Amino acid sequence: MSTATITTFMAGFLRATRRAAPHPLWLLGPLLLSVAVPVADAFLPPDIHLAHLLAVATAVTAIGAGPRATTLVGSVALLALVAAGVERHALMTESVLVELWALAAVSALLVVFTHLRDRQDRELVRARSVSDTAQRVVLRPLPERAGPVWLASEYHSAEADAYVGGDLYASARTSHSTRLIIGDVRGKGLASISDTAIVLGAFRAAAHREIPLPELVAYVEDAVRWGLAEFSASEADLAERFVTAVMVDIPDDEPVVHVVSCGHPPPLVLGRAGATVTTLQVPEPAPPLGLAFGGTSDSTYVPATFPFHEGDRLILYTDGVTEARDTRGDFYPLAERVAIWADQAPGPLVEAITADLEEYAGGRIEDDMAMIVAQRGRVPAPA
């Protein structure tokens, strides 16, 4: 079970526990009010009666407590009303009897309300736990290391309370290389999860096989095209659905990285020596996945090869990073900013970029965002 799943479950459990056994200070006010009413009645003129305040005690309890505590305070309030009636020798009068029945009815309704509210909260916690687990099956965390490559990642969904959105990433190992994918489904948030699952499922099914990178991309393209057609409502809907992606292959025994771009923002390489940042512009990019209608062949996808030495860091990202805007409407200059953290390992580098991006955007990252940093060779110990 993931940390986020455990956290969600525990938050719901603690909330339910708080209502079932609230803090004593929360009940102190209603209980004091219930005691104060009959005491005050003993000293007030006959024409002043405070019994109607007893309903307030039960209502306040119901706000932050569960049905048991509400039942307790409601019962104490009824006893207080009886005591006040006895003190005034008016227990069997019409007005006191009406107040008793009204208070009993209000207390009963509040007990039923708190019971239904707590049951709904428990159902919501279970639903969130199931949803969280299902989403994390779709978008699995990357390993810290894959062969000689160290990995770190960051993900942000535009949808509130959602772990997965329209961006995606994954890694896979062959016997001699590490393969990565990062992509962006058209659309964002929960509505794009089905397309995200199609891409990741196809990549995971084939990426570990000993096939060339162009064949891997062609396989994913075929799966995506079939999946989008299967779940599209119409031809017009299908024409508007596609996925931009970059797939890379990092050989274990060569200081290079092979890249195939399908309409996606170009990766960056942050050099190990100095603050050099290189944009990996693929000479022959392919169209986004899902737009290559008709038959495809391996020759459609031409990988580009770039130097990738030990200590270099490869940065893969989605447009949620580079299209984040500041208050003036300017895009986030990732290639310029990343040079500031030239000495950082993948984990700290991802954290630094994410914190800087959030500050740049004023804490408002409104699109899905994904990022991977991969470093070949030994990761230096933190200073």
Side-chain angles (χ1 to χ4, degrees):
M1 184 179 291
S2 67
T3 302
T5 303
I6 296 174
T7 303
T8 301
F9 174 79
M10 288 303 297
F13 175 78
L14 291 175
R15 183 166 61 250
T17 302
R18 176 181 62 80
R19 286 180 176 161
H23 195 280
L25 291 178
W26 183 264
L27 295 180
L28 184 60
L31 289 174
L32 287 176
L33 178 61
S34 299
V35 174
V37 166
V39 173
D41 265 3
F43 299 96
L44 293 174
D47 58 334
I48 300 178
H49 194 30
L50 303 179
H52 56 277
L53 294 178
L54 293 171
V56 175
T58 310
V60 169
T61 304
I63 293 174
R68 292 182 181 180
T70 304
T71 301
L72 171 64
V73 173
S75 300
V76 172
L78 285 170
L79 291 175
L81 181 56
V82 170
V86 171
E87 287 177 353
R88 297 193 173 213
H89 306 287
L91 179 60
M92 301 308 296
T93 61
E94 182 178 351
S95 62
V96 173
L97 290 175
V98 170
E99 289 176 350
L100 278 171
W101 281 108
L103 181 58
V106 169
S107 299
L109 289 174
L110 289 172
V111 169
V112 172
F113 165 76
T114 55
H115 172 73
L116 294 176
R117 180 192 60 193
D118 285 4
R119 185 176 68 178
Q120 185 180 38
D121 282 351
R122 289 192 296 268
E123 292 174 351
L124 180 60
V125 169
R126 286 195 296 268
R128 285 180 174 174
S129 177
V130 171
S131 174
D132 181 78
T133 302
Q135 291 180 61
R136 289 179 183 274
V137 169
V138 173
L139 190 69
R140 304 170 193 167
L142 296 184
E144 184 179 2
R145 185 172 184 177
V149 178
W150 293 84
L151 300 172
S153 61
E154 181 65 30
Y155 195 97
H156 169 80
S157 175
E159 195 83 23
D161 299 323
Y163 176 70
V164 181
D167 287 0
L168 58 97
Y169 57 62
S171 67
R173 278 288 298 169
T174 69
S175 61
H176 58 274
S177 70
T178 298
R179 288 175 168 173
L180 302 171
I181 182 174
I182 193 164
D184 185 357
V185 174
R186 184 182 182 277
K188 62 183 179 180
L190 293 171
S192 56
I193 288 182
S194 62
D195 295 351
T196 299
I198 292 171
V199 179
L200 291 177
F203 177 81
R204 290 172 181 145
H208 65 281
R209 299 176 182 175
E210 302 296 331
I211 59 176
L213 186 60
E215 292 184 21
L216 170 62
V217 181
Y219 177 89
V220 175
E221 161 64 29
D222 288 342
V224 169
R225 190 154 35 86
W226 174 85
L228 296 183
E230 184 77 10
F231 296 103
S232 293
S234 64
E235 289 293 332
D237 178 45
L238 177 60
E240 294 295 325
R241 298 175 68 179
F242 57 86
V243 183
T244 67
V246 165
M247 295 186 217
V248 304
D249 187 88
I250 306 173
D252 294 348
D253 54 358
E254 294 181 74
V256 298
V257 57
H258 306 295
V259 180
V260 172
S261 176
C262 299
H264 198 77
L268 304 175
V269 169
L270 180 60
R272 68 191 186 283
T276 59
V277 180
T278 305
T279 301
L280 307 187
Q281 292 286 359
V282 176
E284 300 182 54
L289 302 173
L291 290 185
F293 299 106
T296 61
S297 64
D298 297 346
S299 60
T300 304
Y301 304 102
V302 180
T305 302
F306 302 93
F308 188 52
H309 300 280
E310 182 172 347
D312 289 349
R313 280 137 298 166
L314 176 69
I315 303 172
L316 307 174
Y317 56 92
T318 60
D319 60 12
V321 176
T322 52
E323 293 185 2
R325 298 174 183 265
D326 63 7
T327 54
R328 297 176 300 179
D330 296 330
F331 290 125
Y332 180 71
L334 176 63
E336 298 175 14
R337 297 274 187 144
V338 75
I340 302 173
W341 307 287
D343 59 340
Q344 297 292 322
L349 179 57
V350 164
E351 293 174 1
I353 296 173
T354 303
D356 186 59
L357 177 65
E358 291 178 348
E359 181 180 357
Y360 184 88
R364 305 182 309 274
I365 302 179
E366 299 178 352
D367 196 3
D368 296 321
M369 181 272 283
M371 180 170 44
I372 301 174
V373 174
Q375 178 174 329
R376 182 192 292 279
R378 183 179 65 86
V379 173

